């Protein structure tokens, strides 16, 4: 089994994944865009690299980083909001991919998002053709296609739903708003713990060349889930207006590999 793992982007999810993999006996090499965070990674047992991606250049020892591992997890979110109209996530991924093709990497996991599906696409699985309506969704699906065409690195795509955890939940922002629409829409969320379990299982079980929709199998309506969550956190309860006769996105997976993990998923 390959024990050298690279994580491109040791942020909220990437750092937690790195720490979990180290506990499982893996050697983890991780990147950060913050020079100050290098010592944080090193203290956690991660071999740190200071690397910054843009759509025109990669700053830092990208070749050394990529050649230090056989499996790479690309965990770099688009972050297009507020970044200006000319920022290209696709450009970043294309530039990264050019370096990956020249490296010794054997496998790559690209962390994507269920925003590649439109909010009105109804029940969707991995067999559903994505129809993104947001700019980030459009750039994500284009980036997915770039990686999928590189069969020599056996790329696996993981589309996570909305990320939640002990310190992160959309209700924190939603409780500040007076009125919210689409109360009957289902939530499509996934806990950080389950993201880590899925990514680890992909690596351990050699699930390469696949595409997975990684979302909690339960989909309560927003008008029920978020007020209950706000109450449990002592926040102002969000008020939802309901919309009749609307089709909402419910994301599921048709892959047995994910289905066998559902029983141990963290409750929403």
């Amino acid at each position: 089994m390959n024990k050298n793992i690279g994580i491109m982007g040791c942020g909220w999810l990437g750092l937690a994944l790195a720490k979990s993999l180290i506990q499982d006996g893996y050697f983890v090499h991780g990147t950060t865009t913050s020079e100050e965070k290098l010592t944080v990674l090193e203290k956690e047992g991660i071999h740190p690299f200071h690397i910054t991606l843009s759509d025109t250049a990669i700053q830092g020892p990208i070749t050394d980083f990529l050649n230090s591992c056989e499996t790479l997890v690309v965990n770099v979110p688009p972050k297009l909001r507020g970044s200006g109209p000319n920022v290209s996530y696709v450009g970043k991924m294309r530039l990264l991919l050019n370096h990956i093709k020249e490296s010794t990497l054997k496998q790559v996991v690209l962390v994507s998002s269920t925003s590649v599906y439109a909010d009105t696409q109804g029940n969707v699985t991995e067999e559903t053709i994505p129809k993104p309506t947001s700019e980030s969704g459009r750039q994500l699906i284009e980036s997915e296609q770039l990686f999928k065409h590189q069969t020599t690195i056996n790329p696996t795509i993981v589309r996570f739903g909305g990320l939640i955890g002990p310190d992160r939940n959309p209700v924190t922002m939603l409780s500040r708003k007076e009125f919210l629409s689409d109360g009957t829409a289902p939530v499509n969320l996934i806990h950080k713990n389950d993201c880590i379990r899925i990514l680890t299982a992909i690596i351990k079980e050699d699930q390469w060349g696949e595409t997975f929709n990684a979302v909690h199998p339960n989909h309560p309506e927003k008008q029920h889930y978020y007020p209950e969550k706000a109450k449990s956190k002592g926040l102002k309860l969000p008020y939802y207006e309901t919309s009749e006769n609307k089709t909402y996105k419910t994301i599921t997976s048709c892959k047995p590999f994910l289905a066998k993990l559902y029983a141990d998923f963290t409750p929403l």
Side-chain angles (χ1 to χ4, degrees), residues 51-253:
I51 295 175
T52 302
L53 288 180
S54 76
D55 52 7
T56 57
I58 298 179
Q59 297 179 337
I62 185 64
T63 300
D64 290 344
F65 167 66
L66 294 177
N67 287 333
S68 68
C69 45
E70 293 184 25
T71 299
L72 176 68
V73 178
V74 180
N75 181 43
V76 181
K79 291 185 178 178
L80 298 179
R81 188 176 300 173
S83 299
N86 298 319
V87 174
S88 174
Y89 177 74
V90 176
K92 291 181 182 181
M93 293 299 102
R94 183 180 289 112
L95 194 56
L96 174 61
L97 192 55
N98 288 339
H99 284 274
I100 287 174
K101 289 188 291 186
E102 296 176 356
S103 73
T104 56
L105 280 169
K106 299 295 191 298
Q107 299 94 205
V108 175
V109 180
L110 176 65
V111 175
S112 186
S113 164
T114 53
S115 64
V116 299
Y117 301 108
D119 289 338
T120 56
Q121 275 197 253
N123 295 323
V124 299
T125 71
E126 293 89 350
E127 296 179 351
T128 305
I129 297 175
K131 297 178 181 179
T133 55
S134 67
E135 182 58 27
S136 62
R138 283 188 283 267
Q139 294 207 36
L140 279 168
I141 195 65
E142 188 174 345
S143 298
E144 286 185 12
Q145 293 304 316
L146 289 176
F147 276 79
K148 284 182 178 180
H149 290 153
Q150 303 302 319
T151 55
T152 57
I153 55 172
N154 296 312
T156 283
I157 312 296
V158 185
R159 297 169 179 158
F160 284 130
L163 301 176
I164 62 173
D167 58 345
R168 178 171 176 168
N169 192 290
V171 73
T172 304
M173 177 189 64
L174 296 174
S175 63
R176 301 171 188 163
K177 300 184 178 182
E178 290 297 326
F179 297 100
L180 295 162
S181 59
D182 301 325
T184 55
V187 300
N188 294 284
L189 303 173
I190 185 167
H191 197 282
K192 177 166 66 174
N193 293 345
D194 300 315
C195 295
I196 293 170
R197 290 177 60 245
I198 290 169
L199 293 171
T200 302
I202 288 171
I203 295 168
K204 287 184 176 180
E205 300 181 28
D206 293 323
Q207 292 291 318
W208 305 115
E210 297 281 357
T211 297
F212 297 113
N213 287 347
V215 177
H216 198 285
N218 294 334
H219 304 273
E221 293 182 354
K222 291 182 178 180
Q223 63 183 349
H224 299 311
Y225 173 75
Y226 286 118
E228 290 177 4
K229 186 60 65 173
K231 185 176 180 180
S232 69
K233 292 179 174 290
L235 299 172
K236 179 183 175 183
L237 272 61
Y239 174 77
Y240 276 93
E241 296 175 341
T242 58
S243 301
E244 301 296 333
N245 301 319
K246 288 188 68 174
T247 300
Y248 295 108
K249 173 174 65 179
T250 302
I251 300 164
T252 57
S253 175

